[in-house]
Amino acid sequence: MESEKKINFKNFWYIACESKELGKNQVLARTILDEWIALFRGDDGAPVALQDRCIHRNSQLSKGWVKDGQLQCSYHGWTFDKVGKLTGIPSEGPNQKKVGSRCAKSYECIEQDGFIFIRLEKNENLDIPPHRMPHYGEKGWQTVRLFNVFKNSVINCAENYIDVPHTVFVHDKIFRDALDEKVTTKVQRKDGAVHIEYIGETDNLGWFSWFLNPKKEPITHIDHYYMPNITSVQYVFGKKEFWITSQCIPINDELTWVWTDLTYKFGPFGVLAKPIVAFQGQKVIEQDIVALDNQMEVIKKYGENFSNATADIIHVFIESIYNAIKEGKDPRELAEKNNEVTFWI
């Protein structure tokens, strides 16, 4: 019983797909944390997630089809309803006495902010709802949603999204210029999250500065990491605001799917900025993909042996949270820590 109370990565909510991907009569196959999942919509239109395994002869349910809001296996036609209950065995004919109370394994689903989230295991000790995407669907705000695949672990991907020192090298001239500028940060670890506030940052945002901050107004820049896989970056330039929120989905230890929302408030002409925001955001992420894919190649050969610099206190805090989950502990019980560090970019 004690082992059931331990925290693990299956206790968190993960994006399985965008809502628009799952039509009324569609079946999608997904993998999260090496678990195979079949997704469909039940007779009420709500998303359903079953283990992608028919309990009859181990065929993948995702290769089947939706019939009257139920999922029918393509091998022998066994049919399962929206809670995974077996409702029909065609070979038994009209008398279905042998159907009984058998069920396929099911997972919790929630539809929120244009996403379908899945939780593989519920744990009363860590009942945290899916992360809300900042300002999604709010009046005056626009969102560009991007999807990308990284050949790296979920923690390395998440850390990359709030790693500033790499930007002057991987994204030189596009998102940062190498100015050898002194930057002071306040870093806090608290309640399973890490918050980073950049003090006195200038308009060093590469050629995108002309668009985001043409008046060179003072910048408010705050980054957030939320256990175990979410990062959110906030920039404020006068009346403009720009959020970069990424949810990294662990397919397995070496493959991560990432949905990134670029959400902004640029005034009445914000909708016209969408093509620019989408192009710029995707360009930056594609550069990260090259760097992260290469990192994993090196890790597979030599192991994950990192050596830290001053700025890496952010990574140290994040990894302490991640490692606590790996050990079955609740990261919210880690002692609060506050650091102020200085580095150059």
Side-chain angles (χ1 to χ4, degrees):
M1 291 296 292
E2 184 64 29
S3 62
E4 293 179 8
K5 298 179 181 179
K6 286 187 175 182
I7 305 300
N8 69 75
F9 292 106
K10 292 183 178 181
N11 302 152
F12 296 88
W13 291 94
Y14 300 99
I15 296 171
C17 66
E18 293 184 51
S19 295
K20 65 183 182 182
E21 293 180 82
L22 189 62
K24 181 180 179 181
N25 292 309
Q26 285 183 286
V27 186
L28 294 181
R30 289 292 185 265
T31 301
I32 298 175
L33 289 167
D34 268 335
E35 290 287 329
W36 284 6
I37 300 159
L39 275 171
F40 69 102
R41 292 189 183 275
D43 55 6
D44 58 358
V48 178
L50 304 180
Q51 187 178 71
D52 198 3
R53 182 188 77 87
C54 182
I55 60 175
H56 178 216
R57 287 291 182 266
N58 290 321
S59 182
Q60 282 184 270
L61 289 174
S62 62
K63 296 186 181 298
W65 44 81
V66 179
K67 183 178 180 181
D68 299 325
Q70 301 189 23
L71 183 56
Q72 187 166 46
C73 179
S74 63
Y75 194 16
H76 295 90
W78 284 33
T79 305
F80 303 87
D81 68 12
K82 60 187 177 184
V83 296
K85 186 178 185 302
L86 176 64
T87 59
I89 302 175
S91 64
E92 294 296 320
N95 185 354
Q96 296 286 302
K97 291 181 180 179
K98 292 189 178 181
V99 171
S101 60
R102 286 176 285 185
C103 292
K105 185 174 182 178
S106 63
Y107 306 105
E108 292 177 276
C109 272
I110 289 179
E111 195 159 8
Q112 173 183 292
D113 296 337
F115 286 123
I116 293 173
F117 292 84
I118 290 176
R119 179 165 62 180
L120 298 176
E121 290 180 4
K122 186 173 182 178
N123 188 327
E124 298 295 344
N125 295 325
L126 194 75
D127 196 10
I128 299 173
H131 185 77
R132 301 302 310 226
M133 301 305 274
H135 304 291
Y136 180 80
E138 290 183 20
K139 185 177 180 180
W141 292 81
Q142 303 292 332
T143 295
V144 172
R145 182 159 286 176
L146 303 174
F147 170 76
N148 287 276
V149 176
F150 289 76
K151 296 176 183 176
N152 207 321
S153 69
V154 69
I155 188 62
N156 288 337
C157 291
E159 288 186 11
N160 171 79
Y161 272 89
I162 52 173
D163 178 280
V164 169
H166 88 276
T167 59
V168 298
F169 300 99
V170 178
H171 314 304
D172 185 31
K173 301 292 187 268
I174 295 178
F175 194 51
R176 282 287 195 288
D177 292 321
L179 302 178
D180 288 329
E181 211 171 42
K182 185 178 179 180
V183 175
T184 299
T185 63
K186 293 181 179 179
V187 187
Q188 179 189 60
R189 183 188 71 187
K190 183 179 180 181
D191 295 331
V194 177
H195 309 287
I196 310 104
E197 181 179 2
Y198 292 83
I199 310 300
E201 190 172 5
T202 70
D203 66 336
N204 185 8
L205 296 172
W207 68 262
F208 208 38
S209 293
W210 69 268
F211 178 72
L212 284 177
N213 194 22
K215 296 181 180 178
K216 299 186 183 301
E217 298 186 69
I219 294 176
T220 297
H221 175 193
I222 303 173
D223 293 352
H224 309 273
Y225 163 82
Y226 302 101
M227 62 177 181
N229 64 318
I230 299 161
T231 59
S232 197
V233 176
Q234 178 189 16
Y235 289 103
V236 179
F237 323 87
K239 294 182 179 180
K240 290 183 178 180
E241 199 165 339
F242 186 53
W243 290 75
I244 307 168
T245 304
S246 298
Q247 299 214 30
C248 300
I249 314 305
I251 307 306
N252 56 47
D253 290 341
E254 298 177 5
L255 185 65
T256 301
W257 286 11
V258 182
W259 274 274
T260 300
D261 273 11
L262 308 176
T263 303
Y264 60 91
K265 183 173 65 175
F266 290 169
F269 301 104
V271 68
L272 301 177
K274 276 194 169 184
I276 300 173
V277 172
F279 173 82
Q280 173 72 359
Q282 185 59 37
K283 180 68 174 178
V284 169
I285 292 173
E286 286 171 0
Q287 292 174 329
D288 281 330
I289 288 173
V290 173
L292 269 292
D293 287 4
N294 177 253
Q295 181 192 49
M296 179 50 71
E297 289 300 312
V298 178
I299 288 171
K300 286 192 288 187
K301 183 170 180 62
Y302 294 110
E304 196 169 73
N305 300 309
F306 295 146
S307 182
N308 294 319
T310 301
D312 294 320
I313 185 64
I314 297 166
H315 298 297
V316 172
F317 280 0
I318 290 174
E319 286 159 12
S320 70
I321 292 171
Y322 201 78
N323 288 335
I325 301 171
K326 287 175 69 174
E327 294 168 6
K329 301 174 182 177
D330 188 340
R332 296 171 298 182
E333 296 177 359
L334 293 171
E336 179 179 336
K337 285 194 174 183
N338 293 274
N339 283 64
E340 186 171 301
V341 298
T342 300
F343 55 91
W344 281 257
I345 56 174

